[in-house]
């Protein structure tokens, strides 16, 4: 039996939290462990000692901050599933043990075709946590492989895949980059400037209200009203202007002025059409330019 297998589940959970925090946030303290697991200072000290025995090159104590920082030669002790990590982070996850539970045979989720790389996600998360700029190798459909400097502030699931919202220094704008298209991520030598930070991202800061209704072409609109738990035939949503376009595309909402999409693909329509002038990514919205 190796050292890891001799640990109890509770001990492995705490060590996984240390491992997770180092990989995704770049640092962790005994107080973090105590706050998460309601353990004592002595027990937390033992957990960090156990982690160091198992992974002696993963962290170092910085006395000025009284926190353990991730070392460059860090190698994770636990195989953190990137999709579980991303969904967990979005919901306040932090236990460390990110392995999916045994899948159900009677409750099946949608098949995922896109799988983010753990190391890329971790590097982006550390940059966000510490408000750092990053240098990336990025491959786009239109331009191929390019080198970019970005200042990321948020990871977002757009309904199909994960992207990072950031300031793009090449074009001097806030925009989105698909994280699975990053081939490499390193820390930039230049610290972020004030105009590159999240509070200057106008589309991100702006909230818009979307009023969705069953598509007028439907013979039985009540079915759609039931699907979306509409009130008096309407579903009223508030979301960020930077994300509204993704939501409207994901749910195939007919955003044309007269709800002209009649192919049957759209079961929802946007009632307050004028709101489109306030959102980003209008080109991806069904009927957004008609």
């Amino acid at each position: 039996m190796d050292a890891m297998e001799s640990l109890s589940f509770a001990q492995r959970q705490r060590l996984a939290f240390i491992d997770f925090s180092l990989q995704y946030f770049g640092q962790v303290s005994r107080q973090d462990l105590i706050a998460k697991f309601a353990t004592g200072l002595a027990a937390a000290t033992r957990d960090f000692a156990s982690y160091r025995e198992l992974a002696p090159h993963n962290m170092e104590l910085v006395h000025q901050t009284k926190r353990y920082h991730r070392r460059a030669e860090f190698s994770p002790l636990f195989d953190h599933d990137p999709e579980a990590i991303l969904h967990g982070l979005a919901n306040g996850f932090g236990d460390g043990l990110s392995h999916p539970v045994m899948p159900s045979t009677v409750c099946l989720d949608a098949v995922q075709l896109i799988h983010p790389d753990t190391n890329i996600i971790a590097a982006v998360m550390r940059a966000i946590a510490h408000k750092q700029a990053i240098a990336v190798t990025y491959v786009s459909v239109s331009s191929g492989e390019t080198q970019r400097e970005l200042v990321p502030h948020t990871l977002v699931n757009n309904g199909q895949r994960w992207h990072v919202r950031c300031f793009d220094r090449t074009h001097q704008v806030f925009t989105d980059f698909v994280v699975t298209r990053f081939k490499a991520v390193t820390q930039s030598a230049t610290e972020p400037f004030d105009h590159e930070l999240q509070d200057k991202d106008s589309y991100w800061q702006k909230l818009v209200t979307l009023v969705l209704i069953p598509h007028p072409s439907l013979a039985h609109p009540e079915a759609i009203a039931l699907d979306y738990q509409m009130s008096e035939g309407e579903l009223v949503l508030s979301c960020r202007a930077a994300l509204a376009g993704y939501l409207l595309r994901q749910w195939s909402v007919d955003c044309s002025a007269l709800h002209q999409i009649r192919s049957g693909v759209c079961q929802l329509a946007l009632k307050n059409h004028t709101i489109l002038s306030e959102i980003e990514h209008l080109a991806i919205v069904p009927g957004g330019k008609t």
Side-chain angles (χ1 to χ4, degrees):
M1 179 182 295
D2 63 24
M4 184 71 76
E5 292 177 345
S6 67
L7 300 174
S8 68
F9 176 79
Q11 288 173 307
R12 289 191 296 112
Q13 191 175 37
R14 294 194 298 272
L15 296 193
F17 173 78
I18 295 171
D19 197 60
F20 163 80
S21 298
L22 290 169
Q23 186 174 16
Y24 284 85
F25 300 114
Q27 56 182 268
V28 65
S29 71
R30 285 181 295 182
Q31 291 303 320
D32 293 333
L33 198 64
I34 291 169
K36 185 65 186 177
F37 296 99
T39 186
L41 182 60
T45 300
R46 288 195 297 271
D47 287 332
F48 276 96
S50 297
Y51 184 86
R52 176 164 278 168
E53 287 179 9
L54 292 166
H57 305 297
N58 273 9
M59 66 181 184
E60 61 181 346
L61 178 61
V62 177
H63 293 285
Q64 294 91 328
T65 64
K66 297 182 180 179
R67 301 180 69 84
Y68 290 89
H69 288 234
R70 179 185 184 274
R71 297 179 65 176
E73 56 268 44
F74 176 90
S75 178
L77 277 180
F78 295 85
D79 183 18
H80 302 288
D81 178 76
E83 289 160 56
I85 288 292
L86 286 166
H87 288 289
L89 286 170
N91 291 284
F93 169 81
D95 290 339
L97 289 177
S98 63
H99 316 309
V101 296
M102 186 65 68
S104 170
T105 59
V106 295
C107 181
L108 304 181
D109 201 353
V111 174
Q112 299 293 321
L113 298 183
I114 295 177
H115 305 282
D117 180 270
T118 299
N119 294 323
I120 295 295
I121 292 296
V124 173
M125 274 302 306
R126 291 195 299 273
I128 291 173
H130 299 289
K131 292 183 170 59
Q132 297 169 335
I134 53 177
V136 306
T137 302
Y138 188 76
V139 181
S140 74
V141 174
S142 58
S143 305
E145 183 174 311
T146 58
Q147 304 299 315
R148 300 291 187 97
E149 283 214 357
L150 312 175
V151 181
H153 67 68
T154 312
L155 278 164
V156 180
N157 186 343
N158 69 6
Q160 290 183 311
R161 54 196 173 196
W162 288 87
H163 68 258
V164 59
R165 183 73 178 178
C166 54
F167 185 83
D168 176 13
R169 286 177 169 172
T170 300
H171 296 102
Q172 290 290 298
V173 294
F174 285 97
T175 188
D176 307 325
F177 287 84
V178 181
V179 293
T180 48
R181 296 178 182 175
F182 289 170
K183 294 179 68 175
V185 178
T186 58
Q187 184 178 343
S188 171
T190 307
E191 292 295 313
F193 299 99
D194 286 344
H195 71 277
E196 300 174 331
L197 299 178
Q198 183 190 82
D199 62 352
K200 299 300 192 298
D201 186 347
S202 59
Y203 278 115
W204 185 262
Q205 297 299 329
K206 180 191 294 185
L207 293 177
V208 296
T209 298
L210 306 176
V211 182
L212 308 184
I213 59 174
H215 199 280
S217 66
L218 295 175
H220 302 285
E222 183 184 6
I224 303 306
L226 289 169
D227 278 346
Y228 297 93
Q229 298 182 327
M230 292 182 176
S231 175
E232 298 182 357
E234 295 182 354
L235 177 63
V236 180
L237 301 172
S238 177
C239 69
R240 298 185 185 277
L243 304 179
Y246 295 119
L247 185 152
L248 294 168
R249 179 181 66 175
Q250 180 191 2
W251 294 102
S252 298
V253 179
D254 183 353
C255 297
S256 59
L258 301 176
H259 305 143
Q260 300 161 341
I261 301 177
R262 293 288 195 266
S263 63
V265 69
C266 294
Q267 295 185 328
L268 292 169
L270 181 66
K271 182 178 180 179
N272 56 331
H273 181 266
T274 56
I275 198 67
L276 293 178
S277 63
E278 299 182 35
I279 74 170
E280 195 177 34
H281 306 308
L282 195 58
I284 68 173
V285 172
K289 290 193 173 182
T290 61

